[in-house]
Amino acid sequence: MPVSHLLLALAIVAVWGTNFVVIKISLESFPPFLFAALRFVFAFLPAVFFLPRPKVSWVNLCVYGLAVGVGQFGILYFAIDGNISPGLASLVVQTQVFFTIGFAMLFTKEQLKLYQAVAVAIAMTGLGIIAVHTDATTTFLGLALVVFAGFSWGVANTASRRAGAINMLSYVVWASAFAIPPLLLISWIFEGGWDSMYVSLTSAPTGAWLGVLWQSWGNTLFGYGAWAWLLSKHPAAAVAPAPLLVPIFGMGSAAFFLSEPLPLWKIFAAGIVILGLMVNLFWPYWKTQR
């Protein structure tokens, strides 16, 4: 991979990783489900006018939009809003890898390989360490919610895989339309109704709106668009390892910008989870090199 492409991959995972700090800061101005709705409003508009609808069924787009919008980001924002620290959230949500494996076994009859079972066991050990260290900043509820966000991400990954070879950026933009209505409805019901939504929208400072645009354009349009471009230029095996750096950027930026503590147990747990992800990703390659 050329150096310029490697730097682009690093820029993508840096955006995805540091985004957890942006989420935490923006949640000081917006309630979580309204914040998630705004993310998808600006991911959908105005990009939908410039990108053709992908050649995939409306049902598939709906499943992806609901899974990513409500299940992944809506729940993730709710969890970070007082139930789990942003750094740990960036790590725990990577459980999506194992949910994706599970759904592949369920829907395509893929067999669970021994190394995948080992990888899951290793990662679950790391999550267990996190679970026994819950405190005021990271509750068991927050941990469970982010695992559910990882589950929803796995559902979305399964939907996108079943969509076949498509323009991923166009797919994400059009699917965003299905995330907006339920997120607004949840916000209206549980976050204070129209009056509360109006106050949040009109009183939010410029920085909070920049956070919304960072979610929509930085993470969604740039992140997914650039990622799809890299995958079109290089073998998946050359690009796929990059997201392993997301928790490193997430935990590092949370420690730097939010003064989130990094005790030894947290570093140890993160290392174990990442080791599990690495075993799952690299084992077939290591085996062929023997």
Side-chain angles (χ1 to χ4, degrees):
M1 184 183 298
V3 174
S4 59
H5 293 192
L6 178 61
L7 291 176
L8 178 60
L10 288 175
I12 295 168
V13 296
V15 167
W16 285 345
T18 56
N19 181 55
F20 289 83
V21 171
V22 178
I23 291 171
K24 182 65 174 179
I25 294 173
S26 297
L27 285 171
E28 296 175 0
S29 302
F30 297 112
F33 287 99
L34 177 60
F35 183 38
L38 292 173
R39 171 195 176 113
F40 288 98
V41 165
F42 289 104
F44 182 66
L45 298 172
V48 70
F49 297 114
F50 302 97
L51 295 170
R53 184 173 78 86
K55 295 180 179 179
V56 63
S57 71
W58 287 108
V59 171
N60 184 283
L61 283 173
C62 180
V63 170
Y64 184 89
L66 290 175
V68 167
V70 181
Q72 182 184 345
F73 285 104
I75 296 298
L76 178 66
Y77 292 175
F78 181 74
I80 293 177
D81 191 31
N83 289 291
I84 192 170
S85 60
L88 277 183
S90 71
L91 173 68
V92 176
V93 77
Q94 299 306 319
T95 53
Q96 58 88 13
V97 172
F98 305 113
F99 286 115
T100 302
I101 293 171
F103 288 129
M105 293 171 56
L106 180 64
F107 293 110
T108 64
K109 308 304 180 183
E110 292 182 14
Q111 297 295 315
L112 180 67
K113 298 178 176 61
L114 178 59
Y115 77 87
Q116 292 174 326
V118 171
V120 170
I122 293 172
M124 291 302 294
T125 300
L127 293 180
I129 294 173
I130 296 171
V132 300
H133 285 86
T134 55
D135 54 22
T137 59
T138 300
T139 66
F140 186 79
L141 173 62
L143 181 62
L145 288 170
V146 178
V147 170
F148 181 79
F151 167 86
S152 299
W153 193 353
V155 172
N157 287 340
T158 303
S160 65
R161 288 182 67 186
R162 293 173 74 88
I166 55 173
N167 182 321
M168 190 60 186
L169 178 59
S170 178
Y171 182 71
V172 170
V173 168
W174 278 83
S176 295
F178 293 95
I180 298 167
L183 287 169
L184 288 175
L185 180 62
I186 293 171
S187 180
W188 177 67
I189 295 173
F190 296 105
E191 294 177 341
W194 295 120
D195 290 341
S196 177
M197 295 169 70
Y198 177 79
V199 170
S200 296
L201 293 173
T202 56
S203 64
T206 301
W209 284 105
L210 289 176
V212 170
L213 296 180
W214 184 253
Q215 299 290 299
S216 305
W217 299 345
N219 281 267
T220 303
L221 301 186
F222 166 73
Y224 280 101
W227 190 252
W229 184 81
L230 283 176
L231 286 172
S232 71
K233 297 293 183 181
H234 303 283
V239 182
L244 291 173
L245 297 175
V246 169
I248 296 175
F249 279 104
M251 297 181 73
S253 61
F256 183 81
F257 292 106
L258 302 176
S259 299
E260 182 178 316
L262 279 176
L264 184 60
W265 71 262
K266 187 180 290 188
I267 297 173
F268 183 62
I272 292 178
V273 174
I274 292 173
L275 175 61
L277 296 171
M278 291 180 65
V279 169
N280 177 70
L281 184 62
F282 290 113
W283 185 265
Y285 173 77
W286 290 334
K287 189 175 182 180
T288 59
Q289 297 301 308
R290 292 175 60 183

